[in-house]
Amino acid sequence: MTSDTLTPNYTSQRRKSSIVAATFNLTATILGGGVLSLPLAFEKCGVMLGSLLMIVSMAITERALFLLCICARISGATTYGEVGKAAFGTKGEYGISMVLFVYLMFVTVAFMILVQDIWTSIVSMVARKDLDDVNQDWVLLVVLILMSPCFIQRSLHALRFNCYIGFASIPILLLALWHDVATEPIEMEPLQWTNSFNDVLFAFPIINLSFLCVFNVLPVQAALIRPSRKRMQLVIDGAIGFAFIIMIPFGICGYMYSGKNTDGNILNNIPAPSDWMA
C-alpha cells in the first residue's frame, strides 16, 4: 500500500463502495447485452468446448483486470488512458483513448438497438398493439429521456442501485430459459465439441467479449473503501466468479432452448406472447 499512488487517497471520504457494492457494480458491467449472444457461441462450438473457452476467457480477464489495477496504482493513473500514457507516453494515451472511443461508440449503438427492440416489444404487449403499430424511434427517445439522469453521474457507486437491477435481470432470464428447457425440451442431441476451427474462431470472440469490463475496473477501484491490493483482488475475483457462474448455464440453457435455430440475440428466439415472459 505504501508504494502505491492512489487517487483519491487511501482514506479519502470520497471512497464509498464496500467490497460487496464494488463487486456487484463490476459484475453488472460484465453481465451486459453481450451475454445474450452466449447461446449462439455454445451452438457453434458445443457445450464442452464452450465451457472450456469460458474458463480460458475468465482466467485471461481476471489477470488483465488485476494487472491494470496494479499498473494504475504504481503510476498514479486513474483512467485506462493515463495508464497508457505512463507506459507509452502521450501517443499511447491518445491511441488507447481512440480505441476505447470507437469501441464504446459501437457498443452504445448496439445497446440502443437492443433497448429499442426490448422496450418496443414491452410497449406492444402492454398496449396490445402489433409491433408494426408501435413507433420504435419514439420508444427509444422516451427511454433515453427517462434514463438521462443516470448519464451524468460521476461514479459507478452512484449507479449501484441500477447495477443491482441490471444484475438481477440476467438470472431472471436464465431461470425462465431453464424452466422452459426442463418442462419442454426440444428433440436434439446437443453438440459437445465442434470439429470446425471456423466455428471456434466465430465463438471465442463472443465468449471473450462477454467478460469485457476493463474500462470500468479503475472507477471501481477509485470508489472502493480501503482499496488495498488484497481487497481489490477480492472484488475482481468475486465479480468474475459471479459472472462465470451465471453465464455458463445461461449459454447452455439458451442453446438447449433454441437448438440449431439459436439467434445472435437469444431474446429473438423467445416469442412475444410466451407465458413465462409475461
Side-chain angles (χ1 to χ4, degrees), residues 34-241:
V35 177
L36 300 176
S37 297
L38 280 177
L40 177 61
F42 276 83
E43 188 269 331
K44 290 294 184 181
C45 61
V47 174
M48 292 182 61
L49 182 55
S51 300
L52 177 60
L53 293 178
M54 288 283 290
I55 294 173
V56 171
S57 295
M58 177 185 67
I60 292 173
T61 303
E62 191 276 338
R63 281 294 86 191
L65 294 180
F66 188 65
L67 288 175
L68 180 59
C69 288
I70 295 298
C71 291
R73 299 168 78 100
I74 293 174
S75 64
T78 58
T79 67
Y80 203 165
E82 290 179 3
V83 173
K85 182 179 181 179
F88 304 108
T90 302
K91 291 183 179 180
E93 181 182 19
Y94 289 162
I96 289 176
S97 297
M98 181 59 65
V99 169
L100 285 179
F101 173 78
V102 173
Y103 171 76
L104 292 175
M105 283 296 294
F106 281 108
V107 168
T108 301
V109 172
F111 271 104
M112 289 176 67
I113 294 173
L114 184 62
V115 168
Q116 185 181 56
D117 289 343
I118 292 173
W119 281 99
T120 299
S121 298
I122 293 175
V123 171
S124 174
M125 292 174 61
V126 173
R128 297 183 179 180
K129 293 183 178 181
D130 292 334
L131 280 175
D132 295 336
D133 296 332
V134 179
N135 190 312
Q136 294 186 342
D137 296 334
W138 279 107
V139 170
L140 178 60
L141 179 61
V142 171
V143 171
L144 291 177
I145 292 174
L146 293 176
M147 295 299 297
S148 58
C150 299
F151 302 157
I152 59 176
Q153 301 301 317
R154 299 179 64 87
S155 70
L156 285 177
H157 178 76
L159 298 174
R160 61 193 181 281
F161 297 111
N162 305 58
C163 292
Y164 298 152
I165 296 173
F167 177 84
S169 61
I170 297 298
I172 290 173
L173 180 56
L174 169 60
L175 290 175
L177 290 171
W178 176 81
H179 176 268
D180 266 30
V181 170
T183 56
E184 299 179 10
I186 61 175
E187 296 182 1
M188 74 163 194
E189 184 67 28
L191 177 67
Q192 298 297 326
W193 194 291
T194 184
N195 293 320
S196 172
F197 185 66
N198 288 334
D199 286 343
V200 175
L201 290 180
F202 179 92
F204 186 65
I206 296 175
I207 292 173
N208 201 33
L209 288 175
S210 67
F211 281 101
L212 189 63
C213 60
V214 68
F215 38 80
N216 285 320
V217 70
L218 294 185
V220 168
Q221 179 171 249
L224 180 64
I225 299 172
R226 301 189 306 277
S228 65
R229 295 190 180 192
K230 182 178 180 180
R231 285 169 63 83
M232 196 60 210
Q233 181 77 73
L234 288 174
V235 170
I236 293 173
D237 290 350
I240 295 294

Side-chain angles (χ1 to χ4, degrees), residues 253-271:
C253 286
Y255 167 44
M256 296 297 292
Y257 175 81
S258 303
K260 295 182 178 180
N261 297 318
T262 303
D263 191 83
N265 177 359
I266 189 61
L267 296 179
N268 291 334
N269 290 112
I270 302 173

